[in-house]
Amino acid sequence: MIEKNGAMTFEDSPYIMEILTALRDERTDSINFRRFLSSLGRYMAYEITKTMNYEKIDVSTPLAKAKGVKIKDMENVVLITVLRASIPFMEGVIKVLEKARVGVVSASRGSPPKFEIEMNYVRIPKIKKEDILIIVDPMIATGSTLVKVIEECEKYGKAKRRIILGVLAAPEGIKRIKEKFENVEIYVADVDEKLNERGYIVPGLGDAGDRAFNTEFE
Ligand code: URA
């Protein structure tokens, strides 16, 4: 992992970078886009387990006793899916963090002129002090949605760690989140250059939701 603009990135992992390259490629169709998003979720969740607490345990093989490991934190993960693009990403994440309690929120930018974030669906489990809260949202662009989601999560309890797990972030989004909250860890495959005037990450990968679900709006 390499720190970049306040986020932890996987720029040093050629395998994760190769999947990201495929996601960025405009020729990647929806079927493969979802497939790569799910793979990325799986490998990034695996990387996050390296930051979790574990204990050494004894195990009996059919032949003898051996030393083993139990990742204690695995029992205390709360995952929050931010609709919509996180659906295929989450599919991979939960393959690794399979004991997680899962919440779902829908958050989208409202209409002009205010562009306020609207949360139409919120289902968040109770969050305990021993939990690791992981908010799964592929694109950390302006950071406004995530600020709202974190604020919402705070109503359900205080976790010992708060993590945002994404594919790409813009420096503006990371800055916004870090200014607003202390102790929020951000893990992304990479941090891109900037946001464009429509709030898209550049070079980015386009609209992750549209690319995953084969849709086009306005
Ligand atoms: N959401 C996306 O899907 N893509 C971006 O670049 C920014 C937000």
Side-chain angles (χ1 to χ4, degrees), residues 85 139 141 195 199-202 204-209:
M139 306 299 275
L195 288 178
Y200 280 93
I201 299 173
V202 180
L205 47 76
D207 188 301

Side-chain angles (χ1 to χ4, degrees), residues 114-131:
K114 281 193 154 180
F115 294 109
E116 271 179 16
I117 304 297
E118 292 171 1
M119 295 184 80
N120 299 311
Y121 183 83
V122 177
R123 200 85 178 116
I124 297 174
K126 190 167 181 285
I127 298 167
K128 298 183 253 169
K129 61 178 187 325
E130 61 272 26
D131 286 336

